């Protein structure tokens, strides 16, 4: 690790002022202190990103890597209907990373954190002999009774997604040099969707207005997340392939791998869930007023926990397949 003085480095990444009024003591003591609200539930989530597995140093800037490391955790908070407030960062740094690059990494984290008024309240910095490893923990909150869970889908519900699906997977293939796109704007759009996903915090909060809703974020692929909802709720889903929303940039590709990216690619960090059909139109209108696209892609049925994909009048089982770190 090329950091000569850890305390000097901490001073470089420390925020100039607190963003959350409940924060009592942030970085600078043995632990952070913040005041929790009595009528809210705390949300805690963590994700680890490893160089060479989740990101490539020569394909993304340190700032983009830091931005995404925090964004993926914010997405988990959004899927609970919550609001992110604090984050902690633990990094294991090899000698191949300079202090300047690490400062830029934290600048990327702070860029998205400032958008959601989040405070950096702690973490750890250690050396390693191999690749850079980043673990981000995010703490958020949700009002009691408004939390959104995977287990709340019921037969008859409408199945929906926010945004468009498959963009991030296509963007990754462009970065890896496996896909060439004629239009520069389409290429830039897809790459940006991979490098800088937008957590659907506002959408998650709007969905808290529904009396009952199940929710998940699309990290490991649409097929995987749908199956998780079915397993948690003990229901069956029927998804209409032609209803899954795609961006114009993705549609322009006409690639044989399009279905793979849409169903199994992952890292779109959109939201997928179910809601009673009577509530869908109202929810869709609320989202539209906030500039959020909400699309109905199927329905829930009683039955064994499985997902069926309907296309050209034929149903096929959509396996729980997506990114798996151990395969």
């Amino acid at each position: 690790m090329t950091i000569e003085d850890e305390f000097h480095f901490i001073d470089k990444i420390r925020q100039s002022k607190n963003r959350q009024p409940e924060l009592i003591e942030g970085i600078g003591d043995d632990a952070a202190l913040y005041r929790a609200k009595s009528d809210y539930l705390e949300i805690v989530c963590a994700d680890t990103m490893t160089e060479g597995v989740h990101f490539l140093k020569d394909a993304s800037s340190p700032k983009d890597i830091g931005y995404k490391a925090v964004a993926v955790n914010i997405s988990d908070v959004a899927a609970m209907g919550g609001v992110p407030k604090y984050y902690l960062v633990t990094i294991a740094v090899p000698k191949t990373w300079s202090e300047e690059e690490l400062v830029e990494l934290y600048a990327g984290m702070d860029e998205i954190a400032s958008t959601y008024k989040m405070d950096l309240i702690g973490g750890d910095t250690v050396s390693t002999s191999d690749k850079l490893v980043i673990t981000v923990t995010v703490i958020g909150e949700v009002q009691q009774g408004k939390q959104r869970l995977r287990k709340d889908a019921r037969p008859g519900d409408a199945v929906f997604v926010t945004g468009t699906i498959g963009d991030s997977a296509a963007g990754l293939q462009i970065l890896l040099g496996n896909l060439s796109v004629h239009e520069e704007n389409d290429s830039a759009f897809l790459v940006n969707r991979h490098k800088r996903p937008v957590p659907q915090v506002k959408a998650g909060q709007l969905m808290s207005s529904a009396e009952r809703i199940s929710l998940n974020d699309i990290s490991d692929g649409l097929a995987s997340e749908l199956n998780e909802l079915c397993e948690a709720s003990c229901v069956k889903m029927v998804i209409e392939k032609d209803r899954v929303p795609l961006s114009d940039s993705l549609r322009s590709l006409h690639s044989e791998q399009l279905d793979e990216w849409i169903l199994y690619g992952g890292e779109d960090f959109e939201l997928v869930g179910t809601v009673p059909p009577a509530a869908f139109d109202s929810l869709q209108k609320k989202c539209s007023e906030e500039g959020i696209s909400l699309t109905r892609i199927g329905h829930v049925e009683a039955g064994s926990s499985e997902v069926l994909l309907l296309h050209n009048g034929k149903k096929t089982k959509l396996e729980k397949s997506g990114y798996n770190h151990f395969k």
Side-chain angles (χ1 to χ4, degrees), residues 16-147:
S16 59
K17 62 180 180 179
N18 294 341
R19 293 164 180 154
Q20 290 292 329
E22 293 83 13
L23 182 60
I24 299 170
E25 191 69 38
I27 294 176
D29 216 304
D30 289 325
L33 295 170
Y34 66 90
R35 186 180 297 105
K37 297 177 183 177
S38 61
D39 55 342
Y40 279 73
L41 300 175
E42 300 287 299
I43 303 171
V44 182
C45 57
D47 271 292
T48 297
M49 290 174 53
T50 303
E51 183 180 352
V53 178
H54 302 95
F55 63 87
L56 301 174
K57 189 179 179 183
D58 58 358
S60 296
S61 69
K63 196 170 186 178
D64 285 338
I65 294 167
Y67 182 101
K68 188 170 182 178
V70 176
V72 300
N73 285 277
I74 296 175
S75 183
D76 285 332
V77 174
M80 304 295 289
V83 176
K85 299 189 71 175
Y86 311 108
Y87 68 111
L88 300 92
V89 181
T90 295
I91 54 172
V93 188
K95 292 181 178 180
T96 51
W97 283 71
S98 68
E99 183 171 322
E100 290 73 21
E101 288 172 322
L102 295 177
V103 169
E104 186 181 349
L105 183 85
Y106 274 85
M109 296 182 192
D110 186 67
E111 181 180 337
I112 187 169
S114 64
T115 300
Y116 296 97
K117 298 181 180 178
M118 299 168 64
D119 287 309
L120 175 61
I121 61 172
D124 196 15
T125 305
V126 299
S127 62
T128 181
S129 59
D130 196 11
K131 304 292 185 180
L132 184 77
V133 180
I134 314 165
T135 298
V136 175
T137 300
V138 165
I139 299 170
E141 66 180 17
V142 61
Q143 190 173 1
Q144 289 187 26
K146 298 294 186 179
Q147 63 269 24

Side-chain angles (χ1 to χ4, degrees), residues 157-161 226 237 239 272-274 295-300:
D157 280 359
V159 182
F160 63 82
V161 293
L226 288 167
M237 288 185 184
I239 303 301
V272 58
T274 72
T295 306
R296 182 171 180 166
I297 63 170
H299 65 275
V300 180

Side-chain angles (χ1 to χ4, degrees), residues 161-167 193 218 222 244-246 250 262 268 270:
V161 293
T162 63
T164 55
I165 310 302
D167 298 325
R193 285 276 282 162
I218 303 175
L222 181 61
V244 178
L246 309 181
L250 191 67
I262 296 165
D268 287 306
E270 296 291 344

